[in-house]
Amino acid sequence: MPLTQLAPSPAYICPHDRACTYLGQAALALDMDPNILRILEQPRKVVTVSIPVLLDNGEVQVLAGHRVQHCDVLGPYKGGTRYHPAVTLQELSALAMLMTWKCALVGIPYGGAKGGIAIDPRLYSVRELERITRRYTSELIKDIGPAIDIPAPDIGTSSQEMAWMMDTYSMNVGHAVPGVVTGKPISIGGSKGRAMATGRGVMITVREALAERGQTLSQTRIAIQGFGKVGAAAAALLHEAGAKIIAVSDVSGAFFAENGLDIPALEGYARENKGSLAGFPDAELITNGELLALPCDVLIPAALEDQITEENADQVQAQIVAEAANAPVTLMGDRLLEARGVTVLPDILANAGGVVVSYLEWVQGQSYVFWDEERVNREMEGLMVQAYQRVSELAQNRQIPLRQAAYMLGVGRVAEALGDRGLYP
């Protein structure tokens, strides 16, 4: 999107255009060379592959798999692999761009990528998912690798899919390559601390934001939208740190307790019910909209995109919104929250803990030297705290929102590297 097209956005804007809007705002603030902006607006490579898969009933289904590689000026591409019915190239392009800024912001040598297949994994057997994943990996074999592009889990995928991807890649090259993916099982080179990493990063950024206000987690009431990998981890760590988690939600609804939920009991209930909170007895069932509007200190949207919009931003009562999900606040929602004085901890900062520990896993896999969990958490916390402090300092010095400061730092680092490297040929 050219710099001249940064007029107020309509009610809905497609994910890639929204990402370009934030990029354009950062470019204006940085007085960026328009030629560099034109390069950064577009992904460097988009790969779409055909995935014929033999189903358990003997039929062959042909799926489309995608991988979007945005920018590798700082290092190999890095990003999740998503299995979800709503996967589109527009969404993947936006998420790949966000990953570029996220990696640059926290100071790790990666560029951004994102991959996915538009399926509902719940509709496939384990054997079918394995065949889909292995064929997808085989089709991308020339486009991924520990020095090229390193996939990771995302919505609808887990350490199991990463194990299949790692094994498929390794069988094709003839030797074990633990660095080709991250988020894999510890038995084949995964990192301790990875499962809780994104949630831990959310906890750290919330803690740092509260500390600037003279508050501690033990004084804080928190509502969390989403109780998946990120939301559940954030809830557990925040609860452990003394925060009162008054509400959480999943696809079955939202669960509220004025005096705080018993998070260990919630985790146990979810484990016994195949990941679902449906029917949890020790809480009041409320709607997702009611959760977002609860009076609380911190609201953590940890589900999908576009949850806080111009339709409901005025109902948010939290003073801090921490974006544990990618892009849970729309452009107009963000502007309305800012106008009301709500502090938004942007996704490229708040949920960066996952990619930080993915980087640490990749380092361990490349060196074949593996660390204990204490060291992993310590290294991650150091990088997250430093990133938060840089963002906060710039925001205060320039009197700008944290999101703009985060984008200026992330985009600025990539633009500087691109300028130093030059344009080939």
Side-chain angles (χ1 to χ4, degrees):
M1 178 180 295
L3 292 178
T4 55
Q5 295 183 7
L6 294 178
S9 66
Y12 173 78
I13 185 169
C14 82
H16 186 256
D17 284 349
R18 173 170 55 193
C20 286
T21 297
Y22 286 134
L23 167 61
Q25 291 170 347
L28 280 173
L30 292 165
D31 194 23
M32 183 189 295
D33 181 342
N35 292 317
I36 290 180
L37 176 61
R38 292 187 190 101
I39 295 171
L40 296 178
E41 285 175 332
Q42 301 297 327
R44 181 176 175 188
K45 191 173 188 179
V46 178
V47 182
T48 297
V49 297
S50 176
I51 306 170
V53 56
L54 179 65
L55 301 180
D56 292 343
N57 64 7
E59 294 182 5
V60 172
Q61 184 178 13
V62 182
L63 306 170
H66 309 289
R67 189 75 180 169
V68 178
Q69 298 170 333
H70 175 251
C71 178
D72 65 346
V73 68
L74 293 175
Y77 301 105
K78 183 81 188 75
T81 298
R82 176 172 293 197
Y83 290 177
H84 191 275
V87 163
T88 65
L89 277 174
Q90 284 277 2
E91 176 193 50
L92 296 178
S93 296
L95 293 171
M97 182 184 289
L98 291 181
M99 183 62 82
T100 298
W101 318 139
K102 186 183 301 184
C103 293
L105 175 62
V106 295
I108 57 179
Y110 283 149
K114 204 74 168 184
I117 306 172
I119 59 170
D120 184 344
R122 296 172 298 181
L123 303 180
Y124 294 84
S125 71
V126 172
R127 292 182 61 191
E128 289 169 339
L129 287 172
E130 179 176 359
R131 289 193 285 268
I132 290 168
T133 303
R134 288 185 181 276
R135 184 58 184 255
Y136 175 60
T137 306
S138 297
E139 294 294 338
L140 292 176
I141 206 77
K142 296 179 181 179
D143 296 293
I144 61 173
I148 302 170
D149 184 353
I150 306 129
D154 200 270
I155 294 172
T157 58
S158 67
S159 60
Q160 179 60 79
E161 282 77 15
M162 295 307 103
W164 291 329
M165 293 187 82
M166 181 263 191
D167 182 68
T168 303
Y169 184 89
S170 298
M171 293 299 292
N172 273 271
V173 300
H175 58 90
V177 186
V180 68
V181 297
T182 59
K184 56 193 175 293
I186 291 175
S187 63
I188 55 173
S191 177
K192 294 178 180 178
R194 177 62 183 85
M196 301 287 282
T198 306
R200 188 177 298 278
V202 173
M203 182 271 290
I204 290 168
T205 52
V206 168
R207 184 196 67 200
E208 295 299 303
L210 289 168
E212 289 190 334
R213 295 166 173 251
Q215 298 174 259
T216 65
L217 286 169
S218 62
Q219 303 167 321
T220 307
R221 291 164 56 84
I222 299 176
I224 302 176
Q225 182 203 36
F227 203 69
K229 288 179 284 189
V230 178
L237 292 165
L238 289 162
H239 176 79
E240 184 180 306
K244 186 178 290 186
I245 311 300
I246 63 169
V248 301
S249 68
D250 69 0
V251 293
S252 67
F255 301 84
F256 168 72
E258 177 66 33
N259 294 320
L261 293 162
D262 184 339
I263 298 302
L266 267 173
E267 293 176 306
Y269 187 89
R271 281 194 299 271
E272 293 172 3
N273 290 274
K274 299 180 180 179
S276 174
L277 296 178
F280 181 70
D282 301 324
E284 176 186 347
L285 184 63
I286 62 175
T287 67
N288 182 68
E290 289 172 328
L291 181 147
L292 295 174
L294 284 172
C296 58
D297 300 297
V298 180
L299 173 62
I300 302 177
L304 293 172
E305 297 87 351
D306 300 337
Q307 299 301 301
I308 300 176
T309 69
E310 68 279 3
E311 306 262 331
N312 62 1
D314 62 334
Q315 300 170 26
V316 172
Q317 298 188 60
Q319 290 304 301
I320 296 174
V321 174
E323 293 186 318
N326 286 314
V329 182
T330 66
L331 273 170
M332 287 302 297
D334 191 55
R335 293 172 185 175
L336 291 170
L337 291 177
E338 179 189 339
R340 294 178 51 225
V342 177
T343 297
V344 178
L345 304 178
D347 48 7
I348 64 170
L349 173 63
N351 67 28
V355 74
V356 169
V357 176
S358 281
Y359 164 64
L360 300 177
E361 179 180 332
W362 177 73
V363 169
Q364 293 169 78
Q366 294 288 81
S367 64
Y368 290 86
V369 176
F370 296 92
W371 308 339
D372 60 31
E373 188 167 351
E374 182 181 354
R375 178 176 177 183
V376 172
N377 291 341
R378 185 174 66 249
E379 297 277 357
M380 187 267 274
E381 178 153 351
L383 289 170
M384 289 296 296
V385 170
Q386 289 172 25
Y388 180 86
Q389 290 174 344
R390 288 193 296 268
V391 172
S392 178
E393 181 180 358
L394 180 59
Q396 292 177 33
N397 289 342
R398 297 284 291 266
Q399 292 295 294
I400 57 177
L402 291 174
R403 189 187 306 279
Q404 186 175 356
Y407 270 82
M408 287 176 66
L409 289 167
V411 171
R413 183 173 180 226
V414 176
E416 180 182 10
L418 187 57
D420 288 341
R421 286 185 56 166
L423 183 62
Y424 177 85

